Amino acid sequence: MDATFWALVGLVIFLALLVYLKVPGTVGKSLDGRADRIRDELEEARRLREEAQSLLAEYQRKRKEAEKEAGEIVAAAQREAHAILEETKQKTEEYVARRNKLAEQKIAQAETEAVNEVRASAVDIAVAAASRLLKDKVDTKVSSDLFKSSLSEVKSRLN
């Protein structure tokens, strides 16, 4: 018997021992368990990817809503600023018109007062001149009567 035969017998005994100890079943179970773990990890990865895509879609939707809301806020602020500008412009125009009217009234009043002062001065000067002339030419009693009548006549004409 040669060594090849004993190698074959040893191999058969080794294989029989492996089958007897259920090594192929254990290896199969081990590989099946590892395949199950890999399958579970792949399923978990797929689920996480779908969840991440869902979150991404939600954040993109929220971003679009926020951009839309920001646009609406800007538009509202522009409308409000335009309204305030128009209101301020109108109030300024009204204020200028009131100030012009008030200035015109003050000018008219000043003109009236100036005319009245000139008239009063003219009356005073005329009365003084008439009084001197009358003093020089008329006696005291006649002068007093004349002065009173002239004074009342001037007052009635000015009013």
Side-chain angles (χ1 to χ4, degrees), residues 2-158:
D2 80 9
T4 311
F5 173 75
W6 287 112
L8 179 63
V9 170
L11 180 62
V12 170
I13 292 173
F14 176 72
L15 290 176
L17 185 63
L18 286 179
V19 171
Y20 178 74
L21 293 176
K22 300 179 183 175
V23 171
T26 306
V27 170
K29 286 181 185 178
S30 173
L31 290 176
D32 287 344
R34 184 169 178 173
D36 288 341
R37 281 195 315 271
I38 291 172
R39 193 177 309 110
D40 290 344
E41 288 176 3
L42 287 174
E43 182 64 29
E44 178 71 13
R46 185 190 58 76
R47 187 184 60 75
L48 289 174
R49 188 188 79 214
E50 289 175 358
E51 187 177 314
Q53 287 177 340
S54 172
L55 285 173
L56 176 63
E58 182 180 344
Y59 286 129
Q60 287 176 342
R61 181 185 55 79
K62 285 182 179 180
R63 180 185 54 88
K64 286 179 184 179
E65 288 176 2
E67 287 174 354
K68 181 181 176 186
E69 186 176 335
E72 290 172 356
I73 290 171
V74 167
Q78 287 175 342
R79 285 191 305 271
E80 188 174 333
H82 183 68
I84 290 171
L85 179 65
E86 289 297 320
E87 181 181 350
T88 303
K89 184 178 177 183
Q90 180 183 1
K91 286 182 178 182
T92 302
E93 289 173 357
E94 291 172 359
Y95 176 76
V96 168
R98 281 195 312 268
R99 295 296 292 178
N100 284 344
K101 186 175 180 181
L102 183 62
E104 288 172 359
Q105 288 174 347
K106 285 184 178 181
I107 290 170
Q109 184 180 1
E111 286 177 353
T112 304
E113 288 175 1
V115 167
N116 288 339
E117 286 179 20
V118 168
R119 283 183 182 168
S121 295
V123 167
D124 290 343
I125 291 171
V127 167
S131 140
R132 274 195 195 151
L133 283 174
L134 287 176
K135 246 187 200 178
D136 293 342
K137 295 186 178 179
V138 180
D139 67 3
T140 311
K141 168 122 175 66
V142 171
S143 127
S144 174
D145 290 341
L146 262 168
F147 176 75
K148 287 180 184 175
S149 70
S150 296
L151 185 62
S152 62
E153 183 179 327
V154 167
K155 282 184 181 178
S156 67
R157 284 188 183 175
L158 286 179

